[in-house]
């Protein structure tokens, strides 16, 4: 099993782990019908891609796909991307957090094994050769680890999410999540606090959002200011010299984040409204 960054109250990652700050390039394209037949009154559908770069030599990227993938299966979406090996120790891997058991599920890429049924594909391990069933959807987050000596880039693509409202269930404990839309959203502007995020003056007792900055986690908590200060009351805050300060960061395109939901029994159903106009009606009579 490969080590991944872990969380401690008020602490960040071990210094030996490094991660890229995920510079992402977004391209939005328009999907039109193909073929020689004339088409009338056709509605175009937007598609897009995001490019994510991962540092070499154990570089980690906490990533997300802000689109509905044409095929979310790991062996399709990550086909011909990243680098495989003959053993798990040298193979790039992807990890998803499973909220039920509160544990990671890993997928390793195989290559140069001499078996065409294995080479280029993703597996749970290289002992039983069980094919990975990981799939990737908007609103989720996942880790990508680069075991190679060179920087690697991968592309994620699909149709732009046009749902009026997107719901993401954040379970008690830890979840990996992301902005489900093809844009950035200010943390303060999300509906998290209106949908049931738990607030407290003590950061360890409130819901937290953890954002990896390349060295350690930046930690934000939903503050319940006992004095009712409007600058920091009911705001996502960070620790500034022992005092809460309002966060001004965004949930970035292509980034993943860690959400700590402190309510032990109830999930937080985060419902976010589409932050951009839908110019692409689903019917054929715009």
């Amino acid at each position: 099993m490969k080590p991944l960054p872990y969380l401690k109250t008020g602490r960040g990652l071990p210094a030996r782990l490094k991660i890229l700050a995920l510079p992402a390039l977004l391209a939005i394209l328009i999907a039109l019908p193909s073929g020689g037949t004339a088409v009338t009154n056709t509605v175009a559908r937007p598609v897009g891609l995001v490019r994510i770069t991962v540092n070499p030599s154990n570089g980690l990227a906490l990533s997300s796909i802000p689109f509905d993938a044409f095929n979310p299966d790991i062996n399709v979406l990550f086909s011909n991307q990243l680098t495989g090996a003959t053993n798990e120790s040298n193979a790039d891997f992807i990890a998803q957090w499973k909220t039920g058991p509160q544990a990671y599920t890993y997928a390793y890429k195989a290559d140069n094994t001499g078996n065409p049924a294995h080479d280029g594909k993703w597996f749970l391990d290289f002992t039983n050769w069980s094919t990975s069933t990981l799939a990737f959807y908007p609103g989720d987050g996942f880790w990508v680890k680069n075991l190679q000596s060179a920087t690697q880039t991968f592309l994620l693509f699909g149709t732009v999410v046009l749902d009026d409202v997107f719901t993401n269930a954040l379970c008690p404990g830890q979840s990996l999540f992301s902005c489900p839309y093809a844009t950035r959203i200010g943390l303060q502007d999300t509906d998290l606090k209106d949908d049931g995020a738990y607030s407290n003056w003590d950061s360890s007792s409130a819901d937290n959002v953890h954002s990896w900055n390349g060295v350690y986690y930046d930690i934000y908590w939903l503050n319940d200011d006992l004095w009712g200060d409007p600058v920091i009351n009911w705001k996502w805050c960070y620790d500034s010299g022992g005092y809460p300060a309002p966060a001004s960061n965004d949930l970035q395109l292509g980034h993943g984040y860690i959400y700590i939901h402190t309510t032990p029994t109830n999930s937080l159903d985060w419902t976010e409204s589409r932050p951009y106009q839908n110019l692409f009606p689903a019917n054929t009579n715009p």
Side-chain angles (χ1 to χ4, degrees):
M1 180 177 293
K2 302 284 188 177
L4 278 177
Y6 58 88
L7 294 172
K8 292 184 178 179
T9 302
R11 291 181 175 268
L13 285 178
R16 60 186 177 86
L17 292 177
K18 297 182 179 179
I19 191 170
L20 185 65
L22 276 183
L25 171 68
L26 169 69
I28 299 295
L29 309 172
I30 303 299
L32 292 171
S34 61
T37 305
V39 179
T40 60
N41 213 25
T42 299
V43 178
R45 306 301 295 172
V47 300
L49 64 88
V50 62
R51 183 179 67 192
I52 299 173
T53 304
V54 194
N55 272 345
S57 305
N58 296 313
L60 276 163
L62 183 51
S63 313
S64 67
I65 179 170
F67 312 111
D68 284 316
F70 299 115
N71 189 324
D73 183 87
I74 187 172
N75 277 297
V76 177
L77 189 60
F78 284 91
S79 176
N80 300 317
Q81 301 203 84
L82 301 173
T83 303
T86 58
N87 57 77
E88 296 172 18
S89 298
N90 296 317
D92 293 346
F93 74 81
I94 297 174
Q96 283 185 342
W97 182 257
K98 302 302 181 182
T99 56
Q102 291 284 289
Y104 282 106
T105 296
Y106 297 84
Y108 304 89
K109 187 167 189 178
D111 209 356
N112 298 316
T113 66
N115 186 339
H118 295 163
D119 289 347
K121 297 182 175 62
W122 295 84
F123 296 91
L124 294 176
D125 59 62
F126 288 1
T127 302
N128 298 314
W129 296 105
S130 298
T131 302
S132 172
T133 59
L134 292 186
F136 304 88
Y137 301 98
D140 296 340
F142 55 92
W143 291 100
V144 176
K145 189 165 187 178
N146 177 10
L147 272 293
Q148 314 312 311
S149 59
T151 298
Q152 294 192 81
T153 299
F154 62 93
L155 301 176
L156 302 174
F157 47 89
T159 58
V160 174
V161 177
L162 295 176
D163 302 49
D164 292 335
V165 176
F166 191 98
T167 301
N168 195 346
L170 303 174
C171 297
Q174 176 175 309
S175 299
L176 267 60
F177 81 111
S178 64
C179 174
Y181 292 106
T183 187
R184 65 179 65 187
I185 299 179
L187 179 57
Q188 301 288 8
D189 298 326
T190 67
D191 287 335
L192 283 165
K193 60 185 179 183
D194 295 324
D195 290 336
Y198 187 74
S199 63
N200 197 288
W201 65 270
D202 182 355
S203 62
S204 65
S205 298
D207 280 13
N208 279 218
V209 172
H210 295 240
S211 175
W212 181 243
N213 67 12
V215 181
Y216 53 86
Y217 286 112
D218 290 318
I219 299 176
Y220 307 94
W221 82 96
L222 187 57
N223 185 43
D224 183 2
D225 181 58
L226 298 178
W227 301 100
D229 184 343
V231 175
I232 58 175
N233 188 43
W234 202 237
K235 303 286 187 183
W236 291 98
C237 293
Y238 65 94
D239 188 304
S240 177
Y243 296 92
S248 60
N249 62 302
D250 298 326
L251 299 183
Q252 298 279 350
L253 189 77
H255 287 239
Y257 300 87
I258 294 175
Y259 194 91
I260 307 297
H261 187 35
T262 55
T263 302
T265 55
N266 298 323
S267 293
L268 189 165
D269 290 329
W270 174 33
T271 57
E272 197 66 45
S273 298
R274 188 183 64 252
Y276 41 75
Q277 187 176 0
N278 181 6
L279 301 177
F280 305 89
N283 63 68
T284 58
N285 298 294

